[in-house]
Amino acid sequence: MGQAGCKSLSRALFDYKTEKYVIAKNKKVGLLYRLLQVSILTYLVVWVFLVKKGYQDIDTSLQSSIITKVKGVTFTNTSDLGERLWDVADYVIPPQGENIFFIITNLIVTPNQRQETCAESESIPNAVCYEDSDCPPGEPVITGNGVRTGRCLQSGNMQRGTCEIFAWCPVETKSRPEKPLLGKAEDFTIYIKNFIRFPKFNFSKTNVLDTKDRDFLKSCRFGPKNPYCPIFRLGSVVSWTGSNFQEIALKGGVIGIQIEWNCDLDKAPSECNPRYHFSRLDSRIPGNSVSSGYNFRFAKYYRDEAGVEFRTLMKAYGIRFDVMVNGRAGKFNIIPTIINVASGVALMGVGSFFCDLVLIYFIKKSHFYRNKKYEEARSGHQGNGKVNVEQLRDLQTVEA
């Protein structure tokens, strides 16, 4: 057995396999093969080259810079602030003109706060007390405004009171106004200047019209007919997200402005245009949800004649804008073209392999095609050149 195995192994080492092409006269398999070829060719031409532009080299490493400016003034007259004119320096945070900025539309103002002792707000659950032992001194009030002093302050004959705290007093107690303070801010304008560059192709562009007319930006407004005027009306931006301006101005919210650059550099540079998308990013839950809106607090500090520091606390509601830029650029390159063509040729081979499986395993007379496809030829063995009757019958049956 050992010698026989070694002998067969030595023979197999010196075997040579060569392709043999068999033309199968089978209409079903032939039709299947042509359908696969047409499908693969359609996929290669339509999807790979026309839709996905597989003949192009792609650059997605977009370099971008954003400059923003807001313009507009409004006038208010309230009991806390009196008569006041609001300009950009008052309602835009931060003032540097970055890709993320905030426009104040509503305020709760607590003026003249000083560091002293006072009663904690009754709306803070952790500040409720019935006796002094409920207010351990030195411990901060959770979600409160200051540190407990050890006293429980009760008003009148009520047993329930609130802890005395050391904090900026008086603490904030007012509720949000029912109407936005800057309700007329929807006529403000937002200027968004965007510079982009695709480093692989050394291609740069901006979203501002290249013109020498200095009055262009003073009079134009963004629209479908004027895509290179990056000046947006605030109320229009809010409406494009499907929101109501007065509603978002009252509670606040977050709006995303996405600038998309998809550039085909095989065409003229004028064909590379920005596309804008506006969306509401914060959660909008129907009803009076605690998670809706956007607000934060800040303070302005002063000193009196005696040098004692005091401040005005402001809880600001408003609209936060996040300007995001993305894009890709493509240009013809022979290398991805060759790679995709070669992939298509390889898929053609897969079609042939699939039809071979159908031919030699899944149809009638598959054994006949299998015998014709795989034939063993030995050197020194000569046939008599004759075809026996059974082979002729099989061949006639297959051709029929």
Side-chain angles (χ1 to χ4, degrees), residues 177-195:
E178 296 182 357
K179 292 184 179 181
L181 178 65
L182 303 185
K184 297 180 179 180
E186 58 184 328
D187 292 325
F188 293 172
T189 59
I190 306 173
Y191 173 50
I192 304 175
K193 184 189 293 185
N194 179 213
F195 298 96

Side-chain angles (χ1 to χ4, degrees), residues 81 84 109-114 168 298-305 307-314:
L81 299 174
R84 180 164 182 172
V109 181
T110 307
N112 197 27
Q113 283 188 325
R114 298 172 183 267
W168 286 96
F298 68 96
K300 293 185 177 181
Y301 295 85
Y302 312 92
R303 288 188 181 274
D304 59 16
E305 297 178 355
V308 179
E309 187 179 43
F310 67 99
R311 73 178 189 182
T312 298
L313 178 66
M314 298 184 182

Side-chain angles (χ1 to χ4, degrees), residues 105-106 180 182-183 244-252 317-319:
T105 56
N106 206 1
L182 303 185
N244 178 272
F245 180 81
Q246 295 300 322
E247 177 187 351
I248 195 174
L250 181 65
K251 299 180 180 180
Y317 297 83
I319 308 172

Side-chain angles (χ1 to χ4, degrees), residues 361-378:
Y361 290 110
F362 299 107
I363 65 173
K364 293 180 180 181
K365 297 294 183 180
S366 60
H367 65 282
F368 173 78
Y369 291 109
R370 189 160 55 248
N371 292 335
K372 288 296 181 182
K373 181 172 177 64
Y374 302 105
E375 182 178 341
E376 182 178 349
R378 296 181 181 274

Side-chain angles (χ1 to χ4, degrees), residues 210-280:
D210 187 10
T211 178
K212 295 182 180 179
D213 184 7
R214 296 188 176 182
D215 294 329
F216 172 72
L217 294 177
K218 296 180 181 179
S219 58
C220 74
R221 292 293 181 272
F222 173 81
K225 297 182 179 180
N226 206 0
Y228 279 91
C229 175
I231 296 181
F232 306 85
R233 180 176 173 272
L234 179 56
S236 299
V237 172
V238 174
S239 65
W240 291 335
T241 66
S243 302
N244 178 272
F245 180 81
Q246 295 300 322
E247 177 187 351
I248 195 174
L250 181 65
K251 299 180 180 180
V254 183
I255 290 179
I257 303 176
Q258 182 173 335
I259 307 176
E260 186 176 7
W261 297 85
N262 288 328
C263 301
D264 185 355
L265 300 185
D266 292 326
K267 300 179 181 179
S270 59
E271 297 294 325
C272 176
N273 299 316
R275 296 181 61 186
Y276 296 86
H277 304 277
F278 305 91
S279 58
R280 182 83 179 265

